[in-house]
Amino acid sequence: MLNILEQIQKPKSFDAFINENMKTSTYKVGWNEEMDVEYEASKTYAAGTAEYAAAMLGTVISEGAPRPKRDMPSIGELSGTIARIGDEWQIPNDRLERYYYMLNRLRDKAKNLTETQKKSQYQNLVKYLFNPYELAAIAPHRRILAQYWEGLSDGQVTVAKTNNEGGIIWSTPLSNGITKKLLPKGSVVWKAENIATIDVLATLQYLEELADSKGKAVLKFRVSKATAALISNSTQLKNLIGMNLGRLKTDTTPMLAIDTVNSYLSALQRPTIEVINDRGTLNTGSSVNMFKDGRIVAQCADKVAVLKVSDPLETLDPVPNKVYTSYFDNLISQWRNDNGRYVAYEMFAYPVFTGKNEVFILDVTTADV
């Protein structure tokens, strides 16, 4: 019976151990569905995006006249430093002792087990040992996804003591240049107490008109789970959308699913609503909602950001006695010394909103004055 800890000290075995087990992990990268990757060797980015107010109409000129020469439309530039995300921890001795106990017990019982039983119990052993490596593989990707959702829903990214204990702290949030608006003056703000008077359709219409004024067409609206609940429970939509319950047709319904709301919006030829329900766990153990509550985001393109990525120094200059592998550009390492076994990860990456003009954020918790 192979000792997994011994096997994964070999680079190829370590790579297979991480990448094969991550295929069945319940943790998903997530950001790869929202962004493509662009590599930046300098660890800084300068992403220029053309800021067209609308698709330009060609200039009509006379047949023999020269073409008019103009300056290009203005270019907006986002520039910054790619963030370093990393951590390391010692694998607890009691976990290692438990692993060896399970391994020795399996070896003792092996002669009395069928091949299927041995494979099943060996997989349990692999799963138990894999846990700290699994966390190292996924941790930076969860942070990247959190930064993306915060940037998309609030136009800025924060790194504060509350969400990055033990790491660097940014003195102020980093703005990404996405337009963020408040509800029009006199609007009813969105909160549970105002559920009877919230005007969902007017709010969505306002965002569509805002996008239209910039020459954009809204593909979809995105909201958090809490904001979706306000939409589904709004008196306006419950009164507008009846439900067929077998042979009984109700004029109103006490509860709406977001799918029902979207069917209604589709019938009106309006963009539909996507609910973002990603939550993240901080190193303190507390849980946070990645997509900000009280926001409706109108998105006018399928992808509005790219992930700028650079390689850690150890990729090019590895440390002796360490074993390395990579998972979606996250450099994972392990080593052993007199004090125990360690696992670490390091990744340089930051979501850059190159499509910032394709996103419109509406803060529905506050009305303009």
Side-chain angles (χ1 to χ4, degrees):
M1 190 67 62
L2 294 175
N3 183 340
I4 305 166
L5 274 174
E6 291 178 358
Q7 288 295 311
I8 62 176
Q9 300 312 303
K10 304 170 185 177
K12 287 186 178 179
S13 297
F14 185 48
D15 179 76
F17 178 66
I18 296 294
N19 284 281
E20 289 304 312
N21 281 292
M22 285 306 294
K23 289 178 182 178
T24 57
S25 172
T26 57
Y27 297 114
K28 302 303 176 188
V29 171
W31 60 257
N32 57 325
E33 298 178 1
E34 297 285 329
M35 296 179 282
D36 295 321
V37 173
E38 290 185 1
Y39 294 97
E40 299 285 348
S42 66
K43 292 185 171 59
T44 61
Y45 61 82
T49 57
E51 294 180 335
Y52 293 95
M56 298 181 70
L57 296 175
T59 304
V60 179
I61 55 178
S62 60
E63 183 178 348
R67 290 185 297 271
K69 294 181 180 179
R70 311 181 192 280
D71 291 334
M72 282 291 291
S74 61
I75 298 293
E77 188 176 82
L78 281 170
S79 60
T81 302
I82 295 177
R84 183 188 185 198
I85 311 168
D87 215 333
E88 69 177 57
W89 49 78
Q90 183 177 356
I91 300 177
N93 287 336
D94 58 353
R95 174 173 283 273
L96 294 173
E97 289 170 357
R98 176 66 178 167
Y99 160 76
Y100 278 111
Y101 171 78
M102 293 168 68
L103 176 64
N104 291 332
R105 188 169 182 272
L106 180 56
R107 283 173 172 168
D108 291 341
K109 292 173 55 182
K111 60 181 178 294
N112 298 319
L113 299 175
T114 66
E115 284 302 312
T116 301
Q117 289 172 328
K118 279 191 286 188
K119 286 180 180 179
S120 175
Q121 293 198 25
Y122 189 72
Q123 280 304 113
N124 290 336
L125 190 64
V126 171
K127 183 178 180 180
Y128 180 77
L129 182 62
F130 183 60
N131 179 253
Y133 298 92
E134 181 181 31
L135 298 179
I138 202 63
H141 300 297
R142 299 299 291 170
R143 171 67 73 168
I144 290 164
L145 185 60
Q147 291 180 328
Y148 171 79
W149 286 135
E150 185 183 11
L152 185 72
S153 62
D154 205 37
Q156 60 184 15
V157 174
T158 55
V159 178
K161 189 175 181 179
T162 54
N163 67 12
N164 197 45
E165 185 173 329
I168 64 165
I169 304 300
W170 294 352
S171 58
T172 58
L174 179 63
S175 173
N176 58 23
I178 296 177
T179 300
K180 183 163 63 173
K181 294 281 189 179
L182 305 178
L183 286 169
K185 184 177 180 180
S187 299
V188 175
V189 299
W190 288 35
K191 54 184 179 180
E193 305 92 280
N194 294 341
I195 203 75
T197 51
I198 291 173
D199 194 335
V200 176
L201 295 181
T203 302
L204 299 182
Q205 180 67 33
Y206 174 71
L207 268 172
E208 286 191 81
E209 290 173 355
L210 178 62
D212 186 63
S213 71
K214 303 296 182 181
K216 308 294 182 182
V218 178
L219 294 183
K220 56 187 171 183
F221 298 109
R222 307 180 98 172
V223 300
S224 71
K225 185 178 181 180
T227 306
L230 292 175
I231 293 171
S232 296
N233 289 301
S234 66
T235 300
Q236 179 192 50
L237 290 184
K238 287 196 291 186
N239 287 342
L240 284 170
I241 306 172
M243 292 189 71
N244 288 307
L245 305 173
R247 296 181 179 179
L248 177 65
K249 172 68 168 66
T250 65
D251 293 326
T252 64
T253 178
M255 182 177 179
L256 292 174
I258 201 69
D259 287 345
T260 306
V261 174
N262 281 334
S263 295
Y264 179 72
L265 292 174
S266 295
L268 298 178
Q269 297 185 324
R270 306 282 291 276
T272 55
I273 299 166
E274 180 183 353
V275 182
I276 308 301
N277 192 29
D278 274 318
R279 297 192 66 82
T281 302
L282 302 175
N283 54 17
T284 59
S286 60
S287 177
V288 296
N289 191 16
M290 295 187 188
F291 196 98
K292 194 170 183 67
D293 292 334
R295 303 289 186 271
I296 300 180
V297 176
Q299 193 166 319
C300 303
D302 286 327
K303 292 186 178 181
V304 294
V306 295
L307 186 68
K308 297 290 185 176
V309 172
S310 292
D311 292 325
L313 177 60
E314 285 184 57
T315 304
L316 307 172
D317 188 18
V319 176
N321 302 319
K322 274 191 175 185
V323 184
Y324 296 93
T325 190
S326 178
Y327 180 69
F328 280 81
D329 294 300
N330 172 26
L331 186 67
I332 307 163
S333 58
Q334 64 163 342
W335 66 97
R336 184 183 181 183
N337 60 25
D338 293 341
N339 297 318
R341 293 185 182 272
Y342 296 81
V343 61
Y345 66 87
E346 185 173 353
M347 186 172 181
F348 280 84
Y350 192 75
V352 176
F353 285 85
T354 51
K356 61 180 181 174
N357 297 320
E358 303 286 348
V359 179
F360 301 88
I361 303 170
L362 187 64
D363 180 352
V364 295
T365 65
T366 309
D368 235 331
V369 292

